Amino acid sequence: MAGTFGNPEVVQEEVDILIIGGGMAACGAAYEIMPWIGAAKDAGVDITVKLVDKAAMDRSGAVAQGLSAINTYIGPNQDPADYARMVSNDLMGITRDDLAYDLGRNVDDSVHLFEEWGLPIWKTVNGERFDGATWPKEGGKLLKDGGDPVRSGKWQIMINGESYKWIVAEAAKKALGSDNIQERVFIVKLVNDANDKNRVAGAVGFSTREDKVYVYKFKACLLVAGGCVNIFRPRSVGEGQGRAWYPVWNAGSTYTMAAEAGAELTMMENRFVPARFKDGYGPVGAWFLLFKAQATNAYGEVYMTKNKELLNDYPPYGQAAVPASCLRNHLMLKEMKEGRGPIYMDTVTALAKLRETLSPREVKHLEAEAWEDFLDMCIGQCGIWVGENIEPEKKNSELMPTEPYLLGSHSGCCGIWASGPEDVGAPTTEEHPEADKIPAHLPQGWNWGYRSMTTVRGLFTAGDGVGASGHKFSSGSHTEGRMCAQSMVKFVMDNKDWVPTLDTSVESLVEEIYRPVRTFLEHKDYTTAIDVNPHYITPRMLQFRLQKIMDEYVAGVATYYTTNGHMLAVAEEKLGMLKEDAMKMRAKDLHELLRAWENYHRILTAEAHMKHIQFRQESRYPGFYYRMDHNYVDEENWHCFVNSVYDKETKTWNVFKRAHKDLVDKSK
Ligand code: FAD
């Protein structure tokens, strides 16, 4: 029976594997899973699978707008161990080498597939550079047919990537089959098993287009709903407010749903504050790495040189050939705080220098590439350049550190504690000095049987979901999704007779999901102005409150990314109240219902971030945030993971240390 806004239709489905999300990791899993399901069938086990995405896969997730580079491609002459070293240094020494190394040795295969599927990868042949538009061979594959991919950095290669997500999604959809894909369904929560609290048995969500609630039961689930944006007040205001660097539609669903299901989170204190072209958030990588531009203060001084000695405060992370990303911000922030802003990308000098060695034709090509860089992944930046009369060869552009984002796949490493590969070693219980603080039901080492399974049985994650292992980017997220496909099929085969039983009744779940709608319908006539009502708060207003708390007390742009124990205590109290008031959010239509639940996911993610910063009594990421009451990196006491487990019954966090161990020799 078709539902109404007040009484949604309830659709119940049972599958063996549910994939939540349709981004890079989900597409990797969708592409990879069918052959493994085929192998299971040959072994006598029938496995069903379904993918649900809150949006449309062709343009969903962080790659929606396209990208101009694939940031993780190892290539034939580089060592995955070097890649693991780079990941570790950039994230101030606290990463899981097992995860990074495993990714490094597998990631290239996904890049080769992208090319196979039609993604144009730039290439240099006999010293001449070709991109997708200029490649001479009909149907030629730029990587496979010899020549070198154009590298914008040691690990990055350039692409014509406006249609990157279309290409990757098309392969995923073709492999999985459209009957197994459901778009426009927002998953609100996971449901634990009635007989095993530490296991997932289902998920519940709603359609963003029709009055329908979906209740899924499953044996295994891949939770890959991206990172978290808009918990901090954004720099963009007014009509520009939807503009952020990471995509605003990634709302912390991964972290909140995993936490509520009881999964252990890791490094939630980590954040990413990218320095980007001001207001448009345009990418800077190609300008720094490919065009060799430098960033300066308002007086033309290169702050990376001028403030170089500040790096000595943070050995060894400051002294690496490429200092950690946060430390590069640290050097920039000194200029801003001491009044020598604005900060500029010196495009004028960079292009003039290139003109000294290149022919006019080559320079024209390069200028076209500079615009292409934006057009491929951040069209809004082109709008700003056009609107502000910026010709990069004549006028420099402002740079600005953005508001903070939480993510595990780009240059950040917050996320979920996930099982590593079997063949790369990890600390044992005996070696673990803090083992007694870890809840007894959780694993003690770094591998517990199924690659990428979280500490909750049957719950897997990848991409932005996997913590303590950043710098995976688009290709790495796809690769991790593929690894999960394989291990989820193995898990289902090993549990083929297990029957999921939801620990909550379907009626209660539907009631909970549609609460904002009922709140609205019950109280809407109490006042004459629909947005002003003592019985409810609009999702938009609630989001303002969240962003104000985080911005002012948890090291947002308002305080130049600084906080302290007292400010965090205030934030804790205010977030507690906000959590209570979130139960009073209204939804006047399905769009607002989406906004309400996105906000709920944001609040719990924000709380996890705050709790972890509060627990870690040092400033591990100077330039991303500073705890001014512990404004130093304390290697002796805090060279460790900070992990946490949320109790959804008591609504409290248990935050604790886990030992860190280098598996790759970092002295090299
Ligand atoms: P995503 O790809 O973001 O996918 C998340 C998916 O979950 C989406 O389909 C979303 O619709 C869905 N979803 C979210 N919540 C729910 C829910 N509650 N229910 C159902 N579905 C949900 N990588 C590079 O290689 N090179 C680059 O140059 C590069 N630049 C980048 C620039 C920007 C501005 C951004 C944002 C990212 C960039 N990346 C780059 C990184 C890359 O995009 C990410 O690493 C990658 O997309 C992460 O994959 P994921 O699957 O974890 O998340």
Side-chain angles (χ1 to χ4, degrees):
M1 196 192 73
T4 61
F5 189 48
N7 279 305
E9 181 187 348
V10 180
V11 183
Q12 298 191 52
E13 279 184 49
E14 187 156 348
V15 289
D16 292 303
I17 296 172
L18 187 74
I19 300 172
I20 300 174
M24 288 305 286
C27 286
Y31 169 76
E32 181 76 24
I33 205 161
M34 280 318 200
W36 296 102
I37 287 182
K41 193 177 174 62
D42 293 344
V45 184
D46 280 329
I47 295 179
T48 52
V49 58
K50 181 141 212 171
L51 180 152
V52 279
D53 188 353
K54 76 190 254 192
M57 279 172 79
D58 293 335
R59 287 275 180 205
S60 70
V63 186
Q65 280 194 87
L67 297 178
S68 59
I70 289 177
N71 282 352
T72 311
Y73 179 68
I74 308 297
N77 301 318
Q78 301 202 84
D79 181 357
D82 267 343
Y83 163 74
R85 276 184 203 103
M86 176 278 290
V87 175
S88 166
N89 190 77
D90 197 65
L91 292 162
M92 302 293 283
I94 321 269
T95 52
R96 290 259 306 265
D97 284 343
D98 61 332
L99 299 175
Y101 182 82
D102 197 25
L103 185 89
R105 66 185 170 179
N106 286 299
V107 66
D108 288 4
D109 194 57
S110 276
V111 180
H112 296 155
L113 284 173
F114 300 156
E115 189 183 38
E116 191 99 18
W117 299 334
L119 180 70
I121 295 175
W122 298 13
K123 184 175 170 182
T124 308
V125 185
N126 298 330
E128 198 175 350
R129 183 187 294 171
F130 296 100
D131 59 31
T134 54
W135 178 243
K137 268 173 69 182
E138 186 74 17
K141 299 284 182 266
L142 305 187
L143 272 184
K144 283 203 168 160
D145 294 354
D148 300 314
V150 174
R151 285 204 179 265
S152 50
K154 191 166 158 64
W155 311 102
Q156 297 93 334
I157 59 175
M158 296 298 291
I159 57 175
N160 284 75
E162 191 280 336
S163 301
Y164 188 8
K165 184 67 201 303
W166 271 92
I167 292 167
V168 173
E170 184 183 44
K173 290 203 277 192
K174 207 170 157 203
L176 205 61
S178 44
D179 288 351
N180 297 323
I181 295 171
Q182 186 112 38
E183 294 179 335
R184 311 281 181 198
V185 171
F186 182 84
I187 300 295
V188 174
K189 63 191 288 182
L190 300 173
V191 188
N192 291 87
D193 186 66
N195 305 309
D196 182 351
K197 273 195 165 325
N198 196 41
R199 186 168 192 153
V200 275
V204 54
F206 63 92
S207 164
T208 61
R209 289 287 188 270
E210 304 167 289
D211 297 308
K212 284 185 181 176
V213 171
Y214 288 88
V215 182
Y216 299 99
K217 278 191 201 173
F218 49 70
K219 292 190 175 71
C221 163
L222 177 61
L223 178 58
V224 278
C228 191
V229 180
N230 265 346
I231 56 176
F232 284 86
R233 181 157 43 197
R235 287 193 183 273
S236 310
V237 294
E239 287 181 348
Q241 217 195 1
R243 188 90 198 93
W245 172 76
Y246 223 64
V248 291
W249 44 88
N250 281 5
S253 297
T254 308
Y255 310 129
T256 289
M257 287 197 271
E260 287 194 318
E264 185 173 330
L265 304 185
T266 186
M267 303 305 286
M268 288 302 290
E269 65 275 33
N270 180 268
R271 55 169 67 177
F272 186 38
V273 179
R276 288 292 179 267
F277 283 106
K278 188 169 177 295
D279 299 333
Y281 296 83
V284 294
W287 277 100
F288 278 133
L289 301 169
L290 199 62
F291 307 131
K292 310 284 181 236
Q294 290 189 306
T296 69
N297 65 16
Y299 303 91
E301 295 168 310
V302 177
Y303 58 80
M304 283 304 293
T305 314
K306 183 181 173 221
N307 297 335
K308 201 167 182 250
E309 82 284 355
L310 292 184
L311 295 173
N312 296 336
D313 296 339
Y314 302 103
Y317 317 111
Q319 280 101 12
V322 182
S325 300
C326 63
L327 295 177
R328 303 203 296 273
N329 271 20
H330 180 58
L331 270 50
M332 175 201 278
L333 284 172
K334 181 175 165 66
E335 297 306 295
M336 295 178 76
K337 282 193 208 169
E338 292 178 5
R340 289 183 292 277
I343 301 296
Y344 288 105
M345 178 74 88
D346 187 358
T347 57
V348 176
T349 308
L351 290 174
K353 273 200 180 144
L354 287 167
R355 238 178 243 119
E356 287 168 13
T357 51
L358 299 177
S359 69
R361 187 177 147 262
E362 285 168 325
V363 171
K364 264 266 129 334
H365 189 187
L366 212 67
E367 281 170 11
E369 283 179 356
W371 283 93
E372 170 83 35
D373 185 35
F374 291 162
L375 288 169
D376 276 345
M377 67 183 290
C378 189
I379 286 181
Q381 189 67 49
C382 291
I384 289 192
W385 271 15
V386 171
E388 297 190 352
N389 296 334
I390 292 175
E391 293 172 69
E393 67 278 22
K394 295 184 186 150
K395 186 174 173 184
N396 291 333
S397 289
E398 267 188 71
L399 298 181
M400 181 63 104
T402 66
E403 60 278 0
Y405 308 106
L406 269 63
L407 42 89
S409 71
H410 202 284
S411 307
C413 64
C414 75
I416 308 168
W417 192 245
S419 179
E422 283 170 29
D423 60 337
V424 185
T428 60
T429 312
E430 295 74 52
E431 283 174 333
H432 202 311
E434 305 281 342
D436 57 328
K437 297 202 178 120
I438 296 171
H441 67 279
L442 299 179
Q444 308 286 307
W446 291 357
N447 168 271
W448 46 98
Y450 301 93
R451 174 69 164 95
S452 297
M453 193 167 84
T454 68
T455 55
V456 170
R457 267 188 291 286
L459 179 60
F460 293 74
T461 192
D464 277 326
V466 177
S469 68
H471 287 270
K472 296 170 274 195
F473 298 102
S474 58
S475 46
S477 300
H478 192 266
T479 304
E480 277 190 342
R482 293 174 66 195
M483 291 176 185
C484 288
Q486 190 175 347
S487 45
M488 284 191 298
V489 169
K490 183 170 181 285
F491 179 85
V492 171
M493 289 182 78
D494 293 347
N495 291 272
K496 63 180 181 342
D497 298 323
W498 182 76
V499 180
T501 316
L502 304 185
D503 73 355
T504 315
S505 72
V506 170
E507 294 69 39
S508 320
L509 290 170
V510 175
E511 197 55 37
E512 187 181 344
I513 304 252
Y514 257 61
R515 188 196 301 119
V517 173
R518 301 210 197 297
T519 303
F520 171 72
L521 292 176
E522 195 182 327
H523 298 292
K524 68 182 171 47
D525 297 326
Y526 187 79
T527 59
T528 49
I530 199 170
D531 288 347
V532 183
N533 196 306
H535 296 285
Y536 56 65
I537 179 167
T538 66
R540 185 173 157 79
M541 290 303 151
L542 188 113
Q543 193 181 87
F544 283 142
R545 263 177 73 185
L546 170 67
Q547 292 177 345
K548 188 169 159 63
I549 296 168
M550 295 303 285
D551 187 41
E552 292 178 352
Y553 298 101
V554 194
V557 298
T559 61
Y560 265 119
Y561 312 104
T562 61
T563 184
N564 64 36
H566 299 286
M567 292 164 84
L568 293 167
V570 177
E572 184 163 25
E573 194 187 354
K574 286 181 186 284
L575 283 175
M577 292 181 201
L578 190 70
K579 240 159 82 168
E580 280 175 27
D581 288 354
M583 298 300 119
K584 293 274 169 58
M585 265 189 291
R586 73 134 202 234
K588 70 175 174 13
D589 47 37
L590 289 175
H591 185 74
E592 264 200 351
L593 189 59
L594 175 73
R595 292 287 177 257
W597 283 113
E598 284 178 339
N599 275 346
Y600 180 77
H601 288 172
R602 283 192 182 100
I603 293 173
L604 214 69
T605 302
E607 195 176 50
H609 187 50
M610 183 275 295
K611 290 298 289 182
H612 276 235
I613 292 180
Q614 194 177 50
F615 185 80
R616 186 180 276 282
Q617 309 235 320
E618 61 156 2
S619 295
R620 177 60 48 173
Y621 307 105
F624 288 173
Y625 80 81
Y626 303 87
R627 268 202 65 159
M628 298 306 283
D629 45 354
H630 299 281
N631 194 8
Y632 42 78
V633 170
D634 176 356
E635 287 288 86
E636 201 181 317
N637 296 302
W638 289 99
H639 191 98
C640 61
F641 299 103
V642 169
N643 287 10
S644 63
V645 178
Y646 185 67
D647 183 335
K648 69 177 171 196
E649 306 303 333
T650 60
K651 300 194 188 315
T652 53
W653 295 88
N654 174 15
V655 192
F656 51 93
K657 290 181 176 182
R658 266 198 189 266
H660 178 267
K661 186 175 173 182
D662 284 326
L663 304 177
V664 168
D665 182 0
K666 300 288 163 53
S667 61
K668 287 190 180 170

